[in-house]
Amino acid sequence: MTEQGDRQHWFSDHVVLSILAVVSGVLGLLFVFTQLQYILLAIVLAYVLAPAQRKLERHTSSAPAALILISLSVFVLFIPVAYLLTVAIQQGLGLLTALQEGGLSLDTVQDRIETIGYVIDLDLLYATYQEPIATGLQRLATGAVTVIGGLPGMLIGLTVTVFVLFALLRDGEQFVTWLQSIVPLSDHVERELIREPDALMWASVIGNVAVAGVQAVLLGIGLALVGMPGVVFLTVATFVLTLLPLVGAFGVWLPVSGYLLAIGRPTAAVLLFVYGSVVSASDIYLRPAIINRSGAINVATIVVGIFGGIVLFGAIGLFVGPVILGGSKVVLDLFAQERADSTVGR
């Protein structure tokens, strides 16, 4: 075969393989997008469980280690969390009854407000906003029906999560090696693309959950000491709200303090107000100490990443949102650096 024929043959193979690669990649992404939230959940769980997987692999092969780790996670973590959420929901429903038993009604609230010099007609206020309140309740009911109707799809998605998690724990290192082999990047760029997202994942997943857990436990102790009913429900609510920047434990202890004041327990209300303020203020020290330890992620990235992630990916966006947004910045920084280096080299 002549040299020109070799070049034509290479060009033909190159073009065909490029087209097949693009088509295959697009089709693969379409399949991934159908279960994207559950695959992202598996990636987050694999990241958290990876250190334990490596320790188990010192005593057994990767597949049994992954099975053992997933089984232990179900019994040690997921079942207790499911039980805790069940108790929290039950207490949340019971809390409505407890509010009435505590003497909190529209008339009681109105009397308390009038004692501090303000006059307000709550009945008129409710009549004015009755329609939007009814609309909001209807949306909540519709959302609950949607969640119940989506249980079969959720079970399928969780099944996908388990299988993807097993594959990542068993073959995670081989998968990373494969990605490095197919991505046409230099070793330096590949190391940066692995190192920076790793720091971002640590900050977003481990750090954010740790901060929320500490503040939830601290406020839960305070709520128990003042004798507030539904402590488990309020502690879980604190944990969820603390995961959200700009909200935090403030969204729990402030209305609870108002409730205690309204039912005639001003001392408990003031004590909880002061204690809750200290818990919320601890965020100023905890979050930089834990989340920003690596210096790889800043507050703006956390805020925009979390709320944008929730809109795009649902609950799992709490964790992957900042990682994706921070990773985009890393890619752009590397692109700018490589462009500057190539310009200098001319």
Side-chain angles (χ1 to χ4, degrees), residues 39-280:
I39 293 174
L40 291 175
L41 176 60
I43 293 173
V44 171
L45 293 175
Y47 175 83
V48 173
L49 297 175
Q53 172 74 12
R54 287 192 289 268
K55 291 182 180 179
L56 283 176
E57 287 179 355
R58 298 173 185 172
H59 308 285
T60 183
S61 59
S62 59
L67 287 174
I68 293 171
L69 194 56
I70 292 174
S71 300
L72 288 175
S73 299
V74 170
F75 287 102
V76 175
L77 179 62
F78 294 108
I79 291 179
V81 167
Y83 174 76
L84 184 66
L85 291 176
T86 301
V87 174
I89 292 172
Q90 291 175 346
Q91 288 193 359
L93 296 174
L95 193 60
L96 296 175
T97 304
L99 291 174
Q100 293 298 326
E101 292 177 351
L104 184 62
S105 63
L106 290 178
D107 293 336
T108 304
V109 174
Q110 188 169 336
D111 292 339
R112 297 289 178 185
I113 294 175
E114 289 177 354
T115 58
I116 60 177
Y118 292 93
V119 178
I120 184 172
D121 190 342
L122 293 179
D123 292 327
L124 177 61
L125 187 65
Y126 174 75
T128 303
Y129 294 98
Q130 184 175 5
E131 183 176 350
I133 291 174
T135 302
L137 293 175
Q138 185 177 2
R139 288 180 179 177
L140 287 176
T142 304
V145 172
T146 302
V147 170
I148 295 173
L151 285 179
M154 186 181 298
L155 292 175
I156 294 174
L158 291 176
T159 302
V160 172
T161 297
V162 171
F163 278 95
V164 173
L165 175 60
F166 173 78
L168 289 175
L169 290 175
R170 185 190 62 182
D171 304 318
E173 293 183 1
Q174 291 88 332
F175 179 69
V176 172
T177 303
W178 174 76
L179 283 179
Q180 291 175 332
S181 66
I182 65 171
V183 177
L185 296 174
S186 64
D187 294 339
H188 165 70
V189 175
E190 286 182 353
R191 285 194 299 269
E192 288 297 316
L193 287 176
I194 293 175
R195 183 180 65 84
E196 294 292 339
D198 178 68
L200 289 165
M201 183 72 83
W202 189 96
S204 179
V205 178
I206 308 298
N208 209 24
V209 171
V211 171
V214 170
Q215 293 194 6
V217 170
L218 290 175
L219 188 60
I221 294 173
L223 293 169
L225 291 177
V226 299
M228 184 65 192
V231 173
V232 175
F233 168 76
L234 293 173
T235 302
V236 172
T238 303
F239 176 79
V240 174
L241 292 177
T242 308
L243 290 173
L244 301 174
L246 309 177
V247 183
F250 175 85
V252 172
W253 61 258
L254 183 62
V256 172
S257 298
Y259 161 76
L260 292 173
L261 181 64
I263 64 172
R265 297 183 59 192
T267 302
V270 172
L271 289 175
L272 183 62
F273 185 90
V274 174
Y275 181 77
S277 300
V278 173
V279 171
S280 293

